[in-house]
Amino acid sequence: MSSFTKWLFAGLGWAIGGPIGALLGYFIGKSISSTAQIGSSGTGTSSSHRGPYRNTGTQQDINVSLMVLIAAVMKVDGNVKRSELDYVKRFLLANYGEERGKQMLKVLQQMVEKDIPIDRICQQIKVNTDYNTRYHMVDFLFGIGGADGEFHQSEINMLRLIAQYLGISQSDYTSIHERHVGSSDTGYSSGSGRSRSSSSYYKDPYKVLGIDSTASDDEVKKAYRKMAMKYHPDRVAGMSEEIQRNAAEQMKEINEAYEYIKSRRGGLK
């Protein structure tokens, strides 16, 4: 077994089993049964999850499972773009370093050529991670979908499906979608050079907060506080650098939406 194979599987807990482990085993050229000895020898952890709905493994479990979802999003439109690969490369290099990051990128490039059982993959992730982790996974995946400056309908459909399988609430999905994609009736598209002023906001600020425009002032403030908590540095402190960076960017969007609503309502009582 190569040093790369040993390194990869030794750092995995729950991700070594199930459909995620099967995919990794296929691409690395080793069966899961042959690598399971790593976990039992003390250099790794057990492949059985200890859920439900809690983080039960290492950050590497989360990174590897996220990589599988990344492959699903990248391949769905039938054309893996350089902008998408660059976006993912930054994620891998930041989390694994130069040498291992490049090796992981090779695995990812092979993975996009394989059928990915997205329902089973998401189920494995769901029973082993908490809601906050899954939420930020979906948020990060939207960043990949829009890495080329636009979203194809096939990408939107895949992202929606992943969010549903991961148990992301409708209001949270609406907020993530609006921040990354924008409303179709506003003429907004990712990377369109939209204004940052509070008087000209090219997204639906209520959808950004996951609420309806008929919400009361108290409901607006409550929604803002809820969203702000999701992106508080303490909530993403243990996640990858790229996810933390995305969280900071999304918090700016949330603040802009909130300020816009306040300006249109003459303040919030």
Side-chain angles (χ1 to χ4, degrees):
M1 188 182 300
S2 69
S3 58
F4 170 63
T5 304
K6 291 181 179 178
W7 160 77
L8 175 61
F9 282 101
L12 295 178
W14 55 262
I16 198 174
I20 294 177
L23 278 173
L24 291 176
Y26 173 84
F27 290 114
I28 294 175
K30 298 290 183 180
S31 67
I32 294 304
S33 60
S34 67
T35 60
Q37 296 176 357
I38 296 174
S40 61
S41 64
T43 56
T45 55
S46 171
S47 63
S48 61
H49 70 76
R50 298 174 293 281
Y53 312 111
R54 299 179 62 185
N55 286 332
T56 60
T58 64
Q59 180 60 46
Q60 187 164 316
D61 284 292
I62 296 172
N63 289 345
V64 168
S65 58
L66 181 58
M67 190 175 73
V68 177
L69 297 181
I70 287 170
V73 173
M74 289 177 64
K75 65 178 290 183
V76 71
D77 62 355
N79 182 24
V80 178
K81 303 177 182 64
R82 170 54 58 183
S83 56
E84 294 173 333
L85 282 173
D86 289 343
Y87 191 98
V88 176
K89 184 177 180 179
R90 289 195 301 270
F91 166 75
L92 294 175
L93 294 182
N95 286 279
Y96 295 102
E98 184 75 18
E99 181 180 357
R100 289 174 176 173
K102 288 181 178 179
Q103 291 174 323
M104 293 297 286
L105 187 61
K106 291 179 180 179
V107 174
L108 177 66
Q109 289 173 321
Q110 291 178 313
M111 196 174 292
V112 297
E113 300 175 1
K114 179 75 173 176
D115 288 336
I116 299 175
I118 197 64
D119 54 340
R120 291 165 50 215
I121 293 291
C122 288
Q123 180 63 19
Q124 184 178 0
I125 295 171
K126 185 178 179 181
V127 299
N128 287 286
T129 59
D130 59 30
Y131 185 86
N132 186 58
T133 297
R134 301 195 304 276
Y135 174 91
H136 283 285
M137 280 183 166
V138 173
D139 200 325
F140 180 77
L141 290 172
F142 263 89
I144 292 174
D148 60 348
E150 60 181 343
F151 283 87
H152 297 281
Q153 189 59 49
S154 58
E155 292 172 325
I156 295 296
N157 293 341
M158 174 58 71
L159 289 164
R160 183 187 298 113
L161 191 63
I162 289 173
Q164 290 174 350
Y165 283 145
L166 291 180
I168 304 304
S169 71
Q170 182 59 50
S171 61
D172 280 344
Y173 174 81
T174 297
S175 175
I176 294 172
H177 178 281
E178 187 66 21
R179 279 181 275 115
H180 287 275
V181 183
S183 297
S184 59
D185 58 355
T186 62
Y188 171 82
S189 64
S190 179
S192 62
R194 62 196 181 283
S195 171
R196 289 286 185 178
S197 70
S198 61
S199 60
S200 181
Y201 191 74
Y202 288 89
K203 298 182 183 180
D204 186 323
Y206 294 97
K207 288 183 178 179
V208 168
L209 297 185
I211 55 178
D212 191 77
S213 60
T214 58
S216 66
D217 286 357
D218 284 342
E219 289 172 330
V220 171
K221 289 187 286 187
K222 181 178 179 180
Y224 171 73
R225 289 193 294 268
K226 178 182 177 182
M227 295 303 302
M229 282 298 296
K230 290 181 184 296
Y231 292 95
H232 191 280
D234 289 345
R235 298 296 297 275
V236 295
M239 300 184 188
S240 68
E241 292 181 10
E242 285 295 319
I243 287 183
Q244 291 182 53
R245 187 177 297 111
N246 177 70
E249 293 175 355
Q250 297 311 310
M251 191 64 233
K252 292 179 182 178
E253 293 276 3
I254 292 165
N255 284 331
E256 288 179 9
Y258 186 61
E259 291 301 319
Y260 180 84
I261 293 173
K262 286 201 299 183
S263 69
R264 286 303 180 97
R265 293 193 176 198
L268 297 177
K269 300 178 180 179

